[in-house]
Amino acid sequence: MCGIVGYIGPKSLDSFLIVGLKKLEYRGYDSAGIAIIDKNELVVRKSTGKIVDLEKLIENDKFDGHVGIGHTRWATHGAPTKINAHPHTNQAQTIAVVHNGIIENYTNLKKDLINEGYIFISDTDTEIIAHLIEKYLKTEKNFENAFYQTILLLEGKFAIAAVSEFEPEKIFFVKDGAPLIIARNTTVKESFLASDLPALVPIAKESCYLENKQWGYMNNTDFKLYNWNHEPVKLQFILIDLKIEQFEKGKYEHFMLKEIHEQPSMIRRILANRIKDGIISFNEFKVGDEKLKKIGRILIQASGTSLIAGKLGKMYLENNSRIYTEADFSSEFRYRNPLVEGDTMVVGISQSGETADTIAGIHEAKSKFLRVISFVNNVNSSMARESDGIIDLLAGPEIGVASTKAYTAQLVNLFLFSLYLGRLNGNLSETELERNLKELMTIPEKIEKILNNIDPIIKIAEFLKDQKDTIFLGRTFNYPTSLEGSLKLKEISYIHASAYAAGEFKHGPIALVSENLPVILTVPNSEIRPKILSNLMEVKARLGKIITIVTEGDQEIIDLSDYHITIPDIEESLSPLLAIIPLQLLAYYTALFKGCNVDKPRNLAKSVTVE
Ligand code: F6R
């Protein structure tokens, strides 16, 4: 949610900032802008729309500077207009700031500044920062102190970078609640900052993730880092060991398609990493077995797709380890004063590890002195650093705004964790463990089979692209599949999609069914299949259009379907790992046929860093 970049060094500044912003565009794409110190003068350029629009705007500019910042916006305060685009400046246009997050007390600060004669041109919360720095420059002896006095006043969650004509060789920065990384390449005397690693790969060589309430400044060779008392903090740079290919689409048209296709190899990698000689281990996980044995209850809190994985995680944990588990929206968990006991363990699940709602949930758990573990894809994220133990999702970078491979990585890791706990507390026998692992090992090949048979999916997508409403149904393990399938469809194709537990559908929502309403049912081979068959018949009797995700060879269901997609046979509990693949592809192709921007769906951002 909002991307920030900063660069000091010998390279062409506008090109670095533009390239960096393009790599962060998944964080927001309402508008974009850059601020450059050009021969000691501040130059700002901004435009609405995507980074390519900004690129066009500056194509004839000849900048001569080596200090600059840039921003790609996901609007919070103020419409996505040019005026509201970042960077924001003071009236004299000598100070420019970019900001990710929210300044919660900006209304009062703005009122005071207006009373003191400062003139505002935007509706954003960010603009106050430039005015405040200017105000403090009148009383403080230097820019550093003026920046410090300003950030002390700010309440909320933010990452900010600032440049100014007063310190033309430096970029100032602060992090409190939103991600910020500083980085360097010492061989060519370059310094960088960014809200996420993709902007830095492959140019920066070493990075340092800032902690909350850290701030400072950098020039092309040096960094100063301070805590909230303005005391120096030791910097710890680590080598960036990611490859550029991980952040590129390669032969695929979209990141989403690439990431869907990466799932078999990703699952093979996770299994190879976690299972050695039939024994499950989580090397990075630092919570000892003795502590895990004492868990009486598990409370999963997460958002969006990660919560849907959590709902399946609940079933896995209850089935395999028999530990009572709940799964709740982070945004609800945080504010509903949940009933917990000392032996409750709170589990956060997140691809980014930076979701503000989920981090707030972790803070809530910590305030109740509960043990917190997180399943995260970014092991350097805020969530990872604030948890007592982490499980690395090992999905690799996920760039497509609609989560796909992170979801299946979450399911595999949650399933393995449930087996691990089950063995630990004696609720799962060695034979059951072996059977589950054996079944799990078949998943990558079965997913490959689905990926190699997309014709039926394309046919359904062609039908779906003209529909306004759809319904997704599933039972038990595949109720979450219907939630995730419907979320994928609505977020990238903008077709309305509701998901229901198939057995519950008849208790009201079935009123929605009329002729040709597409109803997408997941019907795996399972004990519950006869019940889902009845649910299917209920829809069919009301002339709904039946689309099924069905086990190969299940002719009865196939014959009842208007359209169907087959998946290989698998144990019911693992069928969501197969059933979700055609639903991801269905959403992808439907959006594609509708002409939607698959990797940058409207109104969305990859990492939601505001509550
Ligand atoms: C949906 C999607 C979102 C995220 C949610 C949580 O495709 O990507 O629903 O799952 O915003 O994000 P993380 O997992 O980063 O906490």
Side-chain angles (χ1 to χ4, degrees), residues 136-391:
Y136 281 113
L137 269 174
K138 293 176 188 153
T139 51
E140 296 295 323
K141 56 181 190 299
N142 55 31
F143 194 89
E144 177 178 331
N145 285 0
F147 186 77
Y148 176 54
Q149 290 308 322
T150 298
I151 60 174
L152 287 183
L153 288 181
L154 307 180
E155 286 168 18
K157 292 188 166 49
F158 46 83
I160 296 164
V163 289
S164 93
E165 292 180 8
F166 302 97
E167 285 281 14
E169 300 296 323
K170 292 177 184 160
I171 299 177
F172 286 75
F173 52 81
V174 59
K175 168 188 157 54
D176 193 13
L180 194 61
I181 309 165
I182 51 175
R184 65 187 181 190
N185 183 351
T186 46
T187 37
V188 273
K189 297 195 175 148
E190 289 175 307
S191 302
F192 311 81
L193 62 79
S195 34
D196 212 347
L197 264 188
L200 302 171
V201 177
I203 335 162
K205 300 294 170 223
E206 297 168 294
S207 67
C208 168
Y209 285 79
L210 298 190
E211 300 288 341
N212 285 338
K213 298 214 180 294
Q214 288 187 337
W215 68 282
Y217 60 87
M218 63 192 197
N219 59 27
N220 65 330
T221 52
D222 204 13
F223 294 81
K224 289 277 179 280
L225 192 60
Y226 299 107
N227 64 17
W228 229 230
N229 297 323
H230 205 160
E231 294 155 349
V233 174
K234 200 164 170 273
L235 278 139
Q236 281 184 323
F237 282 93
I238 48 168
L239 271 181
I240 300 176
D241 65 353
L242 289 162
K243 295 199 181 68
I244 184 74
E245 303 82 69
Q246 292 178 280
F247 299 98
E248 288 177 344
K249 285 183 278 197
K251 62 177 184 182
Y252 294 96
E253 198 180 337
H254 294 99
F255 280 108
M256 184 179 176
L257 191 61
K258 176 185 178 222
E259 288 157 5
I260 290 173
H261 279 265
E262 278 174 353
Q263 292 173 107
S265 59
M266 175 199 76
I267 294 174
R268 281 194 184 99
R269 188 175 64 237
I270 298 172
L271 298 180
N273 215 287
R274 300 275 180 234
I275 306 162
K276 301 257 154 49
D277 301 325
I279 295 171
I280 301 171
S281 59
F282 299 92
N283 293 334
E284 71 280 22
F285 190 60
K286 299 285 176 251
V287 180
D289 285 354
E290 285 316 306
K291 286 180 182 144
L292 289 180
K293 273 187 198 157
K294 294 196 185 115
I295 299 168
R297 198 172 145 208
I298 296 176
L299 227 157
I300 295 173
Q301 57 98 18
S303 312
T305 288
S306 296
L307 174 63
I308 297 173
K311 286 177 188 287
L312 255 163
K314 166 190 158 72
M315 291 186 232
Y316 290 157
L317 286 158
E318 291 193 339
N319 272 274
N320 295 327
S321 71
R322 308 307 296 160
I323 300 175
Y324 174 73
T325 306
E326 275 178 69
D328 198 0
F329 302 101
S330 297
S331 53
E332 291 296 312
F333 166 77
R334 163 67 185 84
Y335 293 101
R336 74 174 162 85
N337 192 17
L339 187 63
V340 292
E341 279 148 21
D343 62 355
T344 303
M345 181 171 82
V346 173
V347 175
I349 306 175
S350 174
Q351 188 286 126
S352 62
E354 298 294 351
T355 300
D357 287 322
T358 315
I359 294 173
I362 291 185
H363 294 164
E364 174 67 11
K366 292 237 148 186
S367 75
K368 292 183 154 54
F369 306 103
L370 300 175
R371 193 172 308 286
V372 177
I373 68 159
S374 290
F375 287 67
V376 282
N377 202 29
N378 178 356
V379 291
N380 292 303
S381 59
S382 307
M383 267 177 77
R385 276 173 293 141
E386 296 191 28
S387 303
D388 299 306
I390 56 162
I391 288 180

Side-chain angles (χ1 to χ4, degrees), residues 474-494:
R475 286 185 88 133
T476 61
F477 290 99
N478 283 296
Y479 168 50
T481 305
S482 60
L483 288 171
E484 178 59 6
S486 73
L487 178 58
K488 288 293 89 92
L489 186 70
K490 63 191 146 203
E491 66 183 337
I492 61 167
S493 77
Y494 319 136

Side-chain angles (χ1 to χ4, degrees), residues 346-586:
V346 173
V347 175
I349 306 175
S350 174
Q351 188 286 126
S352 62
E354 298 294 351
T355 300
D357 287 322
T358 315
I359 294 173
I362 291 185
H363 294 164
E364 174 67 11
K366 292 237 148 186
S367 75
K368 292 183 154 54
F369 306 103
L370 300 175
R371 193 172 308 286
V372 177
I373 68 159
S374 290
F375 287 67
V376 282
N377 202 29
N378 178 356
V379 291
N380 292 303
S381 59
S382 307
M383 267 177 77
R385 276 173 293 141
E386 296 191 28
S387 303
D388 299 306
I390 56 162
I391 288 180
D392 185 350
L393 294 179
L394 298 169
E398 189 182 67
I399 311 287
V401 166
S403 187
T404 51
K405 64 173 181 170
Y407 176 69
T408 42
Q410 286 162 348
L411 297 190
V412 172
N413 281 293
L414 282 160
F415 187 72
L416 287 170
F417 189 63
S418 72
L419 298 178
Y420 183 85
L421 285 186
R423 281 304 293 142
L424 197 66
N425 64 17
N427 277 306
L428 191 81
S429 71
E430 188 61 41
T431 326
E432 283 168 316
L433 174 73
E434 271 169 28
R435 187 179 46 78
N436 277 301
L437 290 184
K438 203 166 151 218
E439 196 72 348
L440 195 55
M441 296 289 185
T442 67
I443 294 277
E445 208 182 316
K446 289 179 177 168
I447 294 183
E448 272 159 359
K449 197 165 175 200
I450 299 169
L451 292 173
N452 286 331
N453 181 27
I454 59 162
D455 290 351
I457 300 173
I458 303 252
K459 208 164 102 196
I460 303 171
E462 271 162 356
F463 160 69
L464 276 190
K465 75 172 196 311
D466 300 319
Q467 306 302 313
K468 281 201 167 54
D469 295 298
T470 53
I471 303 275
F472 285 68
L473 300 180
R475 286 185 88 133
T476 61
F477 290 99
N478 283 296
Y479 168 50
T481 305
S482 60
L483 288 171
E484 178 59 6
S486 73
L487 178 58
K488 288 293 89 92
L489 186 70
K490 63 191 146 203
E491 66 183 337
I492 61 167
S493 77
Y494 319 136
I495 294 172
H496 171 251
S498 297
Y500 300 94
E504 179 63 18
F505 193 56
K506 58 187 175 294
H507 295 287
I510 198 166
L512 293 167
V513 178
S514 61
E515 199 176 350
N516 288 333
L517 174 79
V519 178
I520 301 165
L521 293 104
T522 302
V523 197
N525 185 12
S526 67
E527 269 179 29
I528 196 106
R529 182 191 163 284
K531 303 280 179 214
I532 311 179
L533 175 58
S534 307
N535 302 142
L536 184 156
M537 296 309 288
E538 289 149 14
V539 175
K540 202 167 173 67
R542 287 155 184 87
L543 305 182
K545 202 63 147 192
I546 306 286
I547 301 171
T548 53
I549 312 297
V550 56
T551 309
E552 286 164 357
D554 188 342
Q555 207 50 46
E556 186 181 15
I557 300 287
I558 292 174
D559 290 343
L560 289 167
S561 309
D562 294 291
Y563 296 96
H564 72 273
I565 305 164
T566 56
I567 56 170
D569 196 12
I570 185 100
E571 174 120 350
E572 189 195 3
S573 62
L574 291 174
S575 63
L577 277 159
L578 301 186
I580 196 57
I581 309 294
L583 294 181
Q584 292 171 343
L585 287 166
L586 193 57

Side-chain angles (χ1 to χ4, degrees), residues 85-99:
H86 297 216
H88 288 282
T89 67
N90 58 335
Q91 211 189 339
Q93 297 243 341
T94 49
I95 302 162
V97 293
V98 290
H99 160 221

